[in-house]
Structure formats: C-alpha cells, structure tokens
Amino acid sequence: MRPAIFLDRDGTIVEECGYLDRLDKLTLFPWTVDALRLIRRAGFATVVITNQAAVGRGIIEEDFVQKVHGEIDRRLEGTGARIDRYYYCPHFAESKIERYRQECLCRKPAPGMIQQACREMDLDPARSVMVGDRWLDVACGRAAGTQAVLVKTGHGGEEAESPEDGLRADAVVNNLMEAVGWILRTMA
Ligand SMILES: [Mg+2]
Ligand SMILES: [Zn+2]
C-alpha cells in the first residue's frame, strides 16, 4: 500500500472562482506545479477529491468536470507534476436531475471518495494526508483516517477564523506549498 496526498481542487490547487464553469477561469496557483512535483518525488500518490455539486444543481455538465481535469493534466504535462486520479461527487440532494439526486456517501465531509480511492489504488490512509481549504476537507480526511491540513487559500482564510467544535487540523498553513513542506517534514 502506498501513501497518498488527497487534494481538494477549488481553492487548494486552483484558484477559487465561485463556480468554475469556463476553462478560461481555470488558474493554477503559482506554486501548484512545484508542490505537486515534490509530492510525487517523495513517493506519494496524488489524488484529487472534489465536490462538484454544480453538476447536480444543473450549473455545469458532468462532461465539463472531465474537461477541466483534462485541462489541468495538459498544463502539468512535461513538468514532472502529475495527478494520478480525480474523484468528484456530482450529487445534490435536491437535484432536478434524477441521477444526481441522492444523499450520497461521497460528498465531503463524508469519506466515501477517499475510501474508494484507497480501495481502487491500494493506498494506506494512515500514512496519507488530506489537504483542503475548508473544514469539510479536514473532516473528510479525519473520517477516512488520514492526517488533515487546512490551507488558507480559497475559503481557508475565513475558515481558519471560525474553527469547528471538536474538529482539529494537524496543521493550518498558508498554501499548498507550505502544506507540502509540513508533509515532507512530518510524514516522509
Ligand atoms: Mg475547496
Ligand atoms: Zn456524491
């Protein structure tokens, strides 16, 4: 079993822009490529874990989510950085579209996507870390048995100001690059 870094997408590896509904809104943070390369070099699998309820809400098509991930891959080509797999939750409990209308087990803070990744990719949650800009990312990691780091990019600044009762991050850091620094110091 390999260790992994599970990464939230919006506000963590790409800039938070409300709903990402056009490719020209997709902006990697300036440190994202370097951070992902360091993760890979240290032997961690790199897995994106993202809630995309905009699909269930009818704001974007599921195909478009795939397109965004294809575009991220394209921008990482030849850099030594790589995302091994993307997991996304398209569900929304009140969706007008039947196939997306469910109280699912994958929507963060539920740990379903991390658990599925661990099964499918033979990953060890106990040696892994979830990184995200919201407490629900931290809660998702906790529930799946990973370490959990909150980054202050995206919504993370506000989130850090309003901690949730009984929920603790292993580290609260400024951005993904600092998260990777913490991970390499503590886990590698
Ligand atoms: Mg986020
Ligand atoms: Zn779901």
Side-chain angles (χ1 to χ4, degrees), residues 111-183:
M113 289 190 281
I114 292 183
Q115 290 168 340
Q116 187 184 350
C118 287
R119 280 196 306 275
E120 293 179 353
M121 301 175 70
D122 197 27
L123 305 173
D124 181 3
R127 290 187 296 140
S128 299
V129 187
M130 173 74 202
V131 181
D133 69 322
R134 305 200 93 138
W135 289 111
L136 64 78
D137 297 306
V138 171
C140 172
R142 282 270 172 271
T146 72
Q147 306 280 303
V149 176
L150 184 76
V151 289
K152 289 190 185 172
T153 48
H155 294 286
E158 308 141 41
E159 294 277 281
E161 297 296 305
S162 47
E164 288 198 12
D165 267 358
L167 186 60
R168 193 185 55 80
D170 293 287
V172 178
V173 297
N174 286 318
N175 58 47
L176 179 61
M177 186 51 101
E178 288 192 17
V180 169
W182 182 88
I183 289 164

Side-chain angles (χ1 to χ4, degrees), residues 20-55:
L20 206 172
D21 55 3
R22 294 196 324 258
L23 282 185
D24 62 11
K25 288 189 184 171
L26 174 67
T27 312
L28 297 179
F29 288 112
W31 49 80
T32 294
V33 169
D34 289 334
L36 296 182
R37 191 191 293 121
L38 289 169
I39 287 170
R40 188 169 166 75
R41 203 182 284 166
F44 291 91
T46 308
V47 183
V48 165
I49 301 286
T50 179
N51 281 354
Q52 293 298 322
V55 174

Side-chain angles (χ1 to χ4, degrees), residues 8-12 16 108 133-134 137 155:
D8 169 54
R9 194 189 80 183
D10 303 335
T12 301
E16 171 63 52
K108 294 180 288 187
D133 69 322
R134 305 200 93 138
D137 297 306
H155 294 286

Side-chain angles (χ1 to χ4, degrees), residues 51 88-92 102-108 113:
N51 281 354
Y88 63 89
C89 164
H91 304 117
F92 174 54
Q102 54 169 291
E103 301 275 0
C104 63
L105 299 172
C106 46
R107 183 170 169 75
K108 294 180 288 187
M113 289 190 281

Side-chain angles (χ1 to χ4, degrees), residues 38-95:
L38 289 169
I39 287 170
R40 188 169 166 75
R41 203 182 284 166
F44 291 91
T46 308
V47 183
V48 165
I49 301 286
T50 179
N51 281 354
Q52 293 298 322
V55 174
R57 289 173 182 272
I59 297 168
I60 56 173
E61 303 269 334
E62 193 163 348
D63 278 1
F64 183 75
V65 175
Q66 316 264 20
K67 218 174 252 174
V68 169
H69 297 166
E71 175 63 18
I72 294 173
D73 289 345
R74 199 187 61 76
R75 294 193 195 176
L76 298 180
E77 252 169 47
T79 65
R82 197 183 114 147
I83 288 164
D84 294 300
R85 213 178 287 190
Y86 296 85
Y87 290 87
Y88 63 89
C89 164
H91 304 117
F92 174 54
E94 287 105 57
S95 183

